């Protein structure tokens, strides 16, 4: 996997985390136990620190970047395919839907689903246990039973899938 030190600071990856061979980690990145970073994802921490908490997953082609502070993806959170997560805080067990964007200073509350394609604008605080909808995401509705299922179970599905990839992929 491509990992790069930047100005003397190297990524730190827990031995029980899984990083896809085509994911790229640069600088002050911390990936905790049972977290996963999937194919084509880029996590670039050249201004500040990016922390991927235990059990979280960053899916294919997503980009995480940070300003002067800390960008954090909470425990058992999911950043879906092709998302942009920039200099913000993603709470525990959050699901950021495919193609969504979360921008500077935004805070996503625990067990929240940011709808696919939504844009959470800078400084927005999204409450816990809602679905954030729209571009910009200004509509917050209670989790439906279906959405709650995705929020509650997606991290475990990806933890198991990461173990399968760690054991089962082979370059051709």
């Amino acid at each position: 996997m491509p990992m790069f030190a930047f100005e003397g600071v190297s990524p730190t990856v827990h031995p029980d985390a899984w990083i896809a061979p085509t994911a790229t980690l640069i600088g002050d990145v911390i990936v905790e136990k049972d977290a996963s970073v999937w194919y084509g994802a880029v996590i670039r921490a050249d201004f500040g620190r990016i922390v991927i908490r235990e059990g979280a997953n960053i899916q294919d082609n997503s980009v995480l970047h940070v300003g002067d502070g800390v960008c954090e993806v909470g425990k058992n959170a999911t950043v879906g395919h092709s998302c942009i997560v920039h200099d913000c805080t993603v709470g525990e067990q959050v699901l950021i839907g495919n193609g969504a964007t979360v921008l500077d200073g935004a805070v996503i509350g625990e067990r929240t689903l940011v709808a696919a394609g939504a844009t959470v604008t800078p400084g927005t605080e999204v409450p816990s246990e809602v679905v954030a909808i729209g571009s910009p995401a200004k509509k917050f509705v209670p989790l439906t039973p279906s959405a709650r299922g995705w929020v509650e179970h997606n991290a475990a599905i990806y933890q198991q899938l990461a173990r399968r990839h760690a054991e089962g992929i082979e370059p051709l």
Side-chain angles (χ1 to χ4, degrees), residues 127-142:
S128 295
E129 299 193 15
V130 299
V131 179
I133 302 166
S135 188
K138 290 189 175 191
K139 184 175 181 183
F140 306 138
V141 299

Side-chain angles (χ1 to χ4, degrees), residues 96-122:
I96 307 294
N98 296 341
T101 300
V102 183
L103 295 171
D104 303 50
V107 177
I108 310 299
E110 296 180 352
R111 293 173 305 283
T112 284
L113 190 153
V114 175
T119 300
V120 180
T121 55

Side-chain angles (χ1 to χ4, degrees), residues 57-148:
N57 63 92
I58 311 302
Q59 294 179 7
D60 311 69
N61 296 317
S62 286
V63 175
L64 279 68
H65 189 242
V66 63
D68 287 331
V70 176
C71 179
E72 182 173 338
V73 177
K75 182 178 179 181
N76 294 319
T78 294
V79 174
H81 307 287
S82 298
C83 293
I84 296 172
V85 174
H86 195 273
D87 202 18
C88 59
T89 302
V90 175
E92 186 172 328
Q93 211 168 4
V94 163
L95 194 157
I96 307 294
N98 296 341
T101 300
V102 183
L103 295 171
D104 303 50
V107 177
I108 310 299
E110 296 180 352
R111 293 173 305 283
T112 284
L113 190 153
V114 175
T119 300
V120 180
T121 55
T124 300
E125 293 192 22
V126 179
S128 295
E129 299 193 15
V130 299
V131 179
I133 302 166
S135 188
K138 290 189 175 191
K139 184 175 181 183
F140 306 138
V141 299
L143 288 173
T144 63
S146 174
R148 184 173 301 281

Side-chain angles (χ1 to χ4, degrees), residues 45-59:
D46 45 11
F47 290 119
R49 173 175 284 174
I50 298 174
V51 181
I52 311 302
R53 294 285 179 208
E54 183 176 338
N57 63 92
I58 311 302
Q59 294 179 7

Side-chain angles (χ1 to χ4, degrees), residues 38 155-165:
W38 291 79
I157 291 166
Y158 267 82
Q159 289 164 19
Q160 181 181 34
L161 187 58
R163 287 190 286 279
R164 290 176 54 207
H165 276 257

